[in-house]
Structure formats: C-alpha cells, structure tokens
Amino acid sequence: MTLFSLARKNIARNLSQYFLYIASMIFSIIIYFTFVTLKYSDTIMEKTESSQNMQSLMSAAAVILVFFVAIFIAYSNSFFMKKRKKEVALYALLGVRDRQIGFMLFFENLLLGLVSLVVGIVLGFLCSKGFMTILIYLMGYDAIAPFTFSGSAALNTAIVFLLIFLVTSFQGYRLIYQFKLIDLFHASKKGEAVPRPSTGIAILGILLIGSGYWLALQDPFTSNVWEKIGFVMTVLIILTTVIVGTFLLFHSVTGFALTLIKKNEKWLWKGLHIVTVSQLLYRIRGNARTLTVIAVLSATTVTAGGAVYGLYYNTNDQVLTADPNTFMYRQADANSDRKVSAILPDAKYDEAIEALAVTFNAKELNDLDGSGQRIYTVIDEETYNRLAVIQGKEVLRVMDDHAVILDIGFDERFSPEYKGKTITTENNKAITFQGYKTQTVLNAGTAGITVVVSHDTFQALQKAGETLTYRVIGMDKASVDISREITKEIPEEALFSSAPQDFQNSLESVGSLLFIGSFLGLVFLAATGSIIYFKVLTEAEEDKSQYNMLHKMGVSAIDMRKSIAMQVVVIFFVPLAAGLCHSAVALKAFSSLLMMELEKPVMIWMMAYTVIYGLYYVLTVASYNRIITRNNKTEG
C-alpha cells in the first residue's frame, strides 16, 4: 500500500470529521472564484457606470479573503494535527519512518485541498450566474446574468489556493519532527494553559472594555480626548483595550461568574449541573484565546456588515431628502423645454419656480473659509408652501425681514447656529434667520442651500440677486433612461439633477459594497462556526471516557444531552454575545458620526447572523452527542 493510497483511505475514514473543514474551504474558494470572475466580467463592465471602481473593490475583497482564509486553514489544520498526534505516534511505534509519516500527512492535507479546490471552482462556476444576478440586483439594475466561465479567474484561484495548501501540507509534514514520541501520545491531554482567575485581572478586563466603549462613543470631532490623543492613536487604543479586555473577560470574569454559580448548592446538585459547571470552568479559561478570536471576528463581521447594510437600507431616504423632485433643472430656453416635455410621460406635477441667487455677507455664520460670503438660492414663502403641499411637507410662515434656511446637510457639530443670526446683501439688506429645516423642496444638486423669505422680502432682494427660473418635475414612475434622454436636450449649465440617476449611482456604489461585505461576512461566519465546531469536537473525543463512566453509573442519556447542550451553548454564545456588544457600540458610534438612523437595519443584520450562527450550534451539539452515544454503545 502506497503512502498516497493510505492518505486517501484515512480521509475517507474520517470524512465526517473533516466535513465542516472541507465545506468551509469549498465555500471560501467559491466566494474567491466569484470575486475574481466578477473582476474579469464583461457583463459587469457593460452594465455599470463604475466598472473600474468595481474591479478595484473586487480585487481588494479577494486579497482580504485570501489573507483570512490562509489564517483559518492554518488554524483549523492545527486542530486536526493535534487530534492525529496519537495516531502518528502509533505509526512511529510500529516502525514507520518519520519521513514516510511526514509525507503521508503532507499528501492527506494536499489531497483535501485539491478536492476542495476542484469542487469549489466547479460550484463557483455553477453559482456565478446567481451571484452575478444578486450583485446586479443590489446595484439597482434589472437583468439576468449569463453563465460565464473565466479561465483567468480559475487560474488565479488555483494558484492562490495551491500555495495555501502547500504551506499547510508542509505544516503537517513537520509534525513528526516537532515532538517526541511520548509527547505525541499525551497530546490530546494538552489544551491551552488554564489560567487561575484573578480579582485584579477581572476588574482590569471590565475597565479596559468600559474604557474602549467610552472612547468609541465620544464624538471624534468634538471630544477633547480624541483631539489630544489624535485620531489614529485613539482608534488603536480602542481596538487594543477592547481586544485585551475581551481576553481578560474569558480569562477571569466568566470564571468568577461560574464560581458564583457553583456556590448555589441547591441548584448545583441537580442532575449533571456540577459536571457542566466544572467542565465550563476549564473550557472557558483554557480556551480564552480561541474565544477572544471568535468574539473579535464576530464583532468585525457584524459591524462591517451592519454598517454597509445600514447605508444600503437608507439609500432611498437619503436620495429623497436631497432630491424631493424627480427631475429639476435651470431653464435656459423654450426650445429645450419643449424637447424635455416631449420626452416626459405623464407627470404628477410640472412647475416653473422663480428664485434668486443672492450673495450674502455672512460673517455671523462663522464661515470655515473665512471669506464671510455665501451664495444662497432664495425663494418666497408662497413658492415653498406650494411645493411643500405637493411633496407632503409642512407649510411655513415667515416673518418680514426674516428667513428659514433649508440645509439638508445640517450638523450641529459643524453647521452654523442659524437661529437669530443675521446676513446682509451687498446693498445692506439685512435678513435674520428665524429657524432652519433639514429638508428642502428644491433638489440640492441644482439649487444648493435654499433660503425661504416672505413675499415682500423676496421682492426687496431682487435688486441684489440674479433671477433664476427652475423647472421642477414630479413623477410616480421615472427611469434612468428618461433621465439620460433629458440630459441630452439641456445644456450642462442647467445643473440638471435626477432622483432616479442619483438613486442608481448610490445603489451602484453601496450595493457593490453590500454584496462584498455580505459574502465576506458569510465566509467569516463559516470559519468562526467551524473553529468552534473543531474545538468542541476535539474536546468531545477527550471527554468520551468521562461520559462513559457516567453512563455506567446509570446517568440517563437525556441528562447527558442536557449537560452537553448547556456546555456548548455557553462556548458558542458567550463570545457571540461579547461580539454583538462590541459591534453594537461600534455601530452606535458609526451612526452618530454619519447622523443616520441604523437601529432597524443593524437589528436585522444581527438577527440574521445569530440565526446562521445558531445552526452551527445545533450541528455541533448533534455531532457531540453522536460521538458520546457511539462510544457508550461500544464501551458498554
């Protein structure tokens, strides 16, 4: 029997244990192959107006994916090597030479990688149409992508993953040379070093996480702490304190919590609670590093995915805020207007708006550029209210020589305090702001910041400003195609703004980010779940004798299943809870930074992540129970 055939038989015999590892690798290869295929896709280049940006995004995503997958495969491989050490020791004891054992392990890893690579590329090709259609849909286009096989993408994928598999295979080859025979036999008894819980360390962990949260929730633009430390250093401090604090959380804080639970003797002596708590004390402390990695990965995945999904979720509201009218442009000549009218289908409204472009001395508003001058578009109260009624907004009442400013980008951290401030024209006509609104009735891309004044004040300002006529159009159904046809018929100086075009542009950029973020998040989630799965099942193999002893003592299978389920739920969901807390704080800071409501989309994203993560928990508990049950039947 050759070493290669022995390696093949070993894989076939242990296929059930390798299943999630192989599945995670295949999924990673599918996603990488998809990203590279999309990078070379003619369909995407023809369909989108930002194909160059798309290629750059896909390339960056592929690099991040390769870096993460390489770490994940190396980490997972180390679990399998630890599990195989006793088997390797038996080979050595039977007289098989170290070099032959090394080559056998090398072939096993390489064979797993090659099978995963072939299956991943084939499935990637079969899924490419679906993935591409999802991307096109998220970017706001209505099209079905064709089946495409990119030889360049397949070659790129094969080279990258073959290099990763060669490195991890060499890691397996070196196993026999790294340990003495006696160490290999006792390897299964060696876990991560189990630290003793310390009151000081527990308090330090809580303080570090609390400090990181406090810094993250400070406004970086107004906080004295951020200003003194510097943006980059503050971000590094937040990351360091939260990560170290999370490690200390699993190192000591959870240990103290379980120790307190053990003091409840009435509860402790029911069923297998004492066994469960004792096992958890060892598992959580001994796996502090692994649980920290899981928590940080979960936080990163949920934060990035939640932020991007929040932007995508709010895209329509953002466009409607900036473009309350479907189309708007500055009228130039009657001929252009007739051509535009011929293009337009039935419109909900089509109004000609008289406005003024007035230069004001606005020193009281504390101009950032120090010039003291601002140009505003001015409309009268009657015009505003006419459009406000059509658009479903509240009407205004403006006093003489007063104004209300419509600033959709208002941010109290940076914007002027408008109320009570006075601006003057070049001929010294003074206007005092009675208030402001963060909504507008004119498209911001065409009119900019708009000021609403009374009818009499508007008449008085005509001498100080340039008279403009805007055409505002509202439609129930409009398309980018109509927008492009209108663009051809009006001059560039008309400053044409189109809600459908702006919506399409936003979807194109944010939709591509959502596609990349979602699939990278799924890969991270698959890897995270797999790491815990490998870890727990490795421990299940070590715990077989203990559960067999309980079985012989007459403990029911139901009680053992409850104990296993409780242990695994803590190992799975404690780091998830920590990760969700970290991401909630990060997304709260992100929400405040962008002045955007993200609660609903973030909750949807977190729920989706938790549900998929929960499926890994169910699978892990089932596998754990199967190992214990099979051993109890075998051992009696």
Side-chain angles (χ1 to χ4, degrees):
M1 182 180 292
T2 63
L3 290 174
F4 190 81
S5 61
L6 182 61
R8 191 180 69 250
K9 287 187 176 182
N10 279 338
I11 292 173
R13 187 174 62 250
N14 297 309
L15 191 60
S16 60
Q17 298 173 14
Y18 283 113
F19 174 74
L20 263 188
Y21 175 62
I22 297 171
S24 299
M25 284 198 299
I26 289 173
F27 186 62
S28 302
I29 292 166
I30 290 172
I31 300 304
Y32 181 85
F33 178 74
T34 301
F35 285 164
V36 181
T37 298
L38 292 174
K39 175 184 174 181
Y40 295 115
S41 172
D42 293 332
T43 303
I44 296 296
M45 293 184 70
E46 291 169 3
K47 198 70 184 173
T48 68
E49 296 181 2
S50 56
S51 56
Q52 292 298 323
N53 292 336
M54 178 63 63
Q55 287 185 340
S56 300
L57 282 172
M58 290 299 172
S59 297
V63 170
I64 294 171
L65 182 61
V66 166
F67 179 75
F68 177 80
V69 169
I71 295 174
F72 161 67
I73 292 175
Y75 196 83
S76 302
N77 193 49
S78 67
F79 279 121
F80 289 117
M81 289 301 101
K82 178 183 175 182
K83 191 174 179 180
R84 301 285 303 280
K85 283 178 181 178
K86 186 177 288 188
E87 179 188 339
V88 169
L90 285 172
Y91 286 131
L93 196 63
L94 292 171
V96 182
R97 285 181 293 181
D98 290 353
R99 186 178 179 185
Q100 290 177 310
I101 296 172
F103 273 120
M104 183 194 69
L105 296 174
F106 179 88
F107 287 140
E108 281 188 31
N109 281 285
L110 190 59
L111 189 58
L112 278 176
L114 289 173
V115 170
S116 301
L117 182 60
V118 172
V119 175
I121 290 177
V122 171
L123 291 179
F125 165 66
L126 295 176
C127 296
S128 61
K129 178 179 179 179
F131 289 147
M132 197 176 296
T133 301
I134 291 171
L135 174 59
I136 292 172
Y137 172 77
L138 289 175
M139 295 174 72
Y141 294 102
D142 186 15
I144 301 296
F147 270 115
T148 55
F149 181 80
S150 170
S152 300
L155 181 62
N156 185 315
T157 305
I159 292 172
V160 167
F161 280 89
L162 277 175
L163 288 173
I164 293 174
F165 296 142
L166 282 171
V167 172
T168 54
S169 297
F170 184 70
Q171 180 184 358
Y173 175 83
R174 293 178 61 243
L175 175 68
I176 189 65
Y177 297 102
Q178 290 179 306
F179 300 94
K180 295 179 181 179
L181 193 59
I182 189 66
D183 294 329
L184 291 172
F185 271 114
H186 292 286
S188 62
K189 299 178 182 178
K190 294 181 180 178
E192 294 180 10
V194 184
R196 290 176 174 272
S198 161
T199 306
I201 290 176
I203 294 172
L204 178 61
I206 294 172
L207 287 176
L208 284 173
I209 293 176
S211 300
Y213 283 2
W214 180 81
L215 270 177
L217 293 174
Q218 299 300 302
D219 192 316
F221 297 104
T222 58
S223 170
N224 292 328
V225 177
W226 279 73
E227 183 181 356
K228 290 178 181 178
I229 300 176
F231 184 85
V232 176
M233 281 302 300
T234 307
V235 171
L236 290 175
I237 289 172
I238 291 171
L239 291 174
T240 303
T241 52
V242 171
I243 291 173
V244 173
T246 303
F247 175 76
L248 297 181
L249 173 74
F250 298 121
H251 180 287
S252 288
V253 177
T254 49
F256 274 112
L258 290 170
T259 303
L260 288 175
I261 291 173
K262 284 185 72 174
K263 292 181 179 180
N264 185 349
E265 294 186 4
K266 187 177 179 181
W267 176 87
L268 189 66
W269 292 103
K270 285 184 179 179
L272 292 179
H273 289 170
I274 188 169
V275 175
T276 304
V277 173
S278 299
Q279 288 280 71
L280 281 174
L281 276 169
Y282 172 80
R283 299 299 185 212
I284 289 182
R285 294 179 200 164
N287 296 326
R289 284 176 293 177
T290 301
L291 296 178
T292 302
V293 170
I294 301 303
V296 171
L297 276 178
S298 298
T300 303
T301 304
V302 174
T303 301
V308 176
Y309 182 59
L311 291 174
Y312 188 85
Y313 187 89
N314 288 290
T315 296
N316 189 53
D317 291 340
Q318 295 292 314
V319 172
L320 286 177
T321 300
D323 296 334
N325 305 291
T326 310
F327 303 116
M328 178 175 171
Y329 65 91
R330 180 177 172 180
Q331 291 182 306
D333 56 78
N335 185 42
S336 295
D337 288 339
R338 282 194 297 272
K339 290 180 179 178
V340 171
S341 298
I343 295 169
L344 291 172
D346 293 336
K348 187 177 177 182
Y349 62 89
D350 188 345
E351 302 278 346
I353 301 298
E354 184 179 354
L356 302 172
V358 183
T359 301
F360 291 96
N361 294 314
K363 291 183 178 178
E364 285 193 27
L365 300 184
N366 298 321
D367 267 352
L368 294 176
D369 59 6
S371 66
Q373 291 190 333
R374 294 190 179 192
I375 300 175
Y376 293 128
T377 297
V378 181
I379 59 174
D380 63 14
E381 176 187 328
E382 181 184 347
T383 300
Y384 175 87
N385 289 335
R386 178 155 47 102
L387 289 175
V389 170
I390 295 171
Q391 296 170 8
K393 296 182 174 72
E394 293 183 4
V395 297
L396 280 179
R397 293 291 177 263
V398 185
M399 297 180 290
D400 285 338
D401 296 330
H402 284 72
V404 173
I405 190 165
L406 312 178
D407 185 358
I408 62 168
F410 181 83
D411 186 329
E412 59 186 14
R413 297 170 297 182
F414 314 115
S415 299
E417 295 180 8
Y418 290 117
K419 191 171 182 178
K421 300 297 172 114
T422 300
I423 56 176
T424 57
T425 63
E426 293 178 354
N427 58 3
N428 295 321
K429 171 64 177 175
I431 297 174
T432 302
F433 289 118
Q434 67 181 53
Y436 68 90
K437 282 187 172 293
T438 56
Q439 61 183 25
T440 184
V441 293
L442 301 179
N443 291 10
T446 301
I449 297 178
T450 303
V451 172
V452 184
V453 297
S454 66
H455 179 74
D456 292 339
T457 304
F458 184 83
Q459 296 293 326
L461 288 173
Q462 285 184 324
K463 297 178 182 179
E466 177 187 359
T467 302
L468 306 172
T469 304
Y470 291 114
R471 185 176 182 181
V472 295
I473 303 163
M475 298 174 62
D476 290 326
K477 293 183 179 180
S479 66
V480 175
D481 293 334
I482 295 175
S483 175
R484 288 170 181 161
E485 290 182 36
I486 295 174
T487 303
K488 296 175 184 177
E489 303 300 338
I490 58 178
E492 189 176 340
E493 55 269 20
L495 300 176
F496 175 63
S497 60
S498 162
Q501 185 64 61
D502 290 345
F503 182 67
Q504 179 62 63
N505 292 341
S506 297
L507 279 187
E508 202 168 288
S509 56
V510 182
S512 57
L513 282 175
L514 179 61
F515 176 86
I516 292 170
S518 298
F519 281 96
L520 282 179
L522 284 174
V523 173
F524 288 3
L525 176 56
T528 301
S530 298
I531 287 171
I532 300 184
Y533 178 85
F534 303 147
K535 193 77 172 174
V536 171
L537 292 198
T538 300
E539 292 165 351
E541 293 289 341
E542 299 169 9
D543 293 341
K544 287 190 299 187
S545 59
Q546 298 176 34
Y547 280 101
N548 184 246
M549 187 181 298
L550 291 172
H551 172 68
K552 291 177 178 178
M553 290 169 62
V555 176
S556 68
I558 294 175
D559 285 339
M560 284 192 282
R561 288 195 189 101
K562 287 181 180 178
S563 175
I564 290 168
M566 190 180 296
Q567 288 183 54
V568 178
V569 80
V570 173
I571 296 297
F572 259 87
F573 289 98
V574 166
L576 175 65
L580 291 179
C581 285
H582 297 343
S583 62
V585 172
L587 288 166
K588 176 65 177 175
F590 185 74
S591 164
S592 301
L593 189 65
L594 295 184
M595 301 291 289
M596 187 182 296
E597 295 297 325
L598 297 177
E599 284 81 2
K600 188 174 180 180
V602 165
M603 286 300 297
I604 293 172
W605 188 266
M606 285 184 172
M607 287 173 62
Y609 186 91
T610 304
V611 167
I612 299 173
Y613 195 82
L615 294 176
Y616 272 91
Y617 163 74
V618 172
L619 179 62
T620 304
V621 170
S623 299
Y624 199 122
N625 281 321
R626 189 164 54 249
I627 291 170
I628 299 303
T629 302
R630 187 187 301 124
N631 182 69
N632 287 343
K633 287 180 179 179
T634 304
E635 298 294 329

